[in-house]
Each structure stands twice: as C-alpha cells, then as structure tokens.
Amino acid sequence: MGNSASALPYTIGDEVCASTRAGSHGFSIHSGERKSDKAPVTVFKGAKSSMAKTALIKGSTTNDPTLTQIFPALHHFKKCKTLIHPHILSVYATLDTDYPDGNDPSSAGTQSASEKSNPASLTALEQTATTGELIIVTEPVVP
C-alpha cells in the first residue's frame, strides 16, 4: 500500500481543473472511479508543499504559516468527512499521503481541548508534515 493514492479503493483519473486556476486554493480536480464497481467519483488533490508556500492573499509576502493555503486546507481536510447534510458534497474518503494509516501527529492525544476543537490550530500545523498530498474523494461533481 505504501504512502500513495494506491491505498484508496478509488482510481484517480485525468485532471479536469488545475490547481493554479483562480479560486482553486491549491486543489486540482480529477475524474476518478470506485475500484469495486467503477462508479464515478471526483477527486480533489492538493500538494501540501505548494500550499505551504502560497499566500492566501494574492501578492502578500509573509512568513506566517497561518496566512498560507496550507492552514485552511488542513482544516477542511480534517473536517470535510464530518459534514453530513443533503446540500453539502458527500465525502467518500480522504488520504494524507504523509500519513496513509491516519496516524497524523497533530491528532495525537497530547492536544489541548482548544486544539481538538480547532484542527487548524498553529500547533497542529507545526506538527503536520508538508511534503505529501491531500486527497479528498467525493461524489461526482461538475467543476
């Protein structure tokens, strides 16, 4: 299985929208399908190294990690599976290729109560590797 997207029960197809387009916030959109029955899915992929270097505000130059794309991306990545509502995109699977088994150190038992309620805390961000990819598999969408 390793630390790659092969750990998912989904195949990732062609890129539909690039991560460099306006409003992408570092995520590219790919077509995909469930391996078991070939049902279509949409796959969002984001390179953490790129997001960690890209400012949230275009043209901004700052060394503050909370003002880069990685901070909200990690928050969304950790919260998206918990959102269940008829008018919100259904998330089937997520994978952080740095932690394919889900043992992200930022979700370890040593967090304070405020860090557990805010997975995008600066402490959690400092404990998270920023080298792999964030992969989110959802129901099919049209970009």
Side-chain angles (χ1 to χ4, degrees):
M1 287 207 141
N3 66 345
S4 69
S6 64
L8 289 170
Y10 301 91
T11 57
I12 300 173
D14 296 332
E15 183 177 73
V16 177
C17 292
S19 62
T20 55
R21 77 187 188 296
S24 72
H25 302 289
F27 282 94
S28 59
I29 301 174
H30 295 256
S31 61
E33 58 185 32
R34 190 177 308 134
K35 290 178 181 176
S36 63
D37 63 359
K38 307 288 188 208
V41 297
T42 298
V43 181
F44 295 84
K45 284 177 61 176
K48 292 194 292 182
S49 60
S50 174
M51 288 185 214
K53 296 175 190 169
T54 307
L56 280 175
I57 302 168
K58 197 169 193 143
S60 172
T61 56
T62 180
N63 290 332
D64 184 352
T66 63
L67 297 177
T68 63
Q69 289 180 344
I70 191 71
F71 198 72
L74 287 171
H75 177 73
H76 175 71
F77 179 78
K78 292 179 184 198
K79 296 300 279 183
C80 67
K81 285 186 78 172
T82 64
L83 301 173
I84 300 172
H85 189 275
H87 301 292
I88 296 178
L89 191 62
S90 295
V91 174
Y92 297 150
T94 60
L95 176 70
D96 183 338
T97 59
D98 287 325
Y99 310 103
D101 58 358
N103 290 332
D104 180 346
S106 69
S107 59
T110 59
Q111 287 181 306
S112 69
S114 64
E115 289 168 347
K116 287 179 182 175
S117 65
N118 180 10
S121 70
L122 186 54
T123 304
L125 178 62
E126 290 168 345
Q127 295 174 353
T128 302
T130 56
T131 55
E133 290 183 317
L134 298 175
I135 300 173
I136 302 171
V137 180
T138 69
E139 63 188 319
V141 297
V142 177

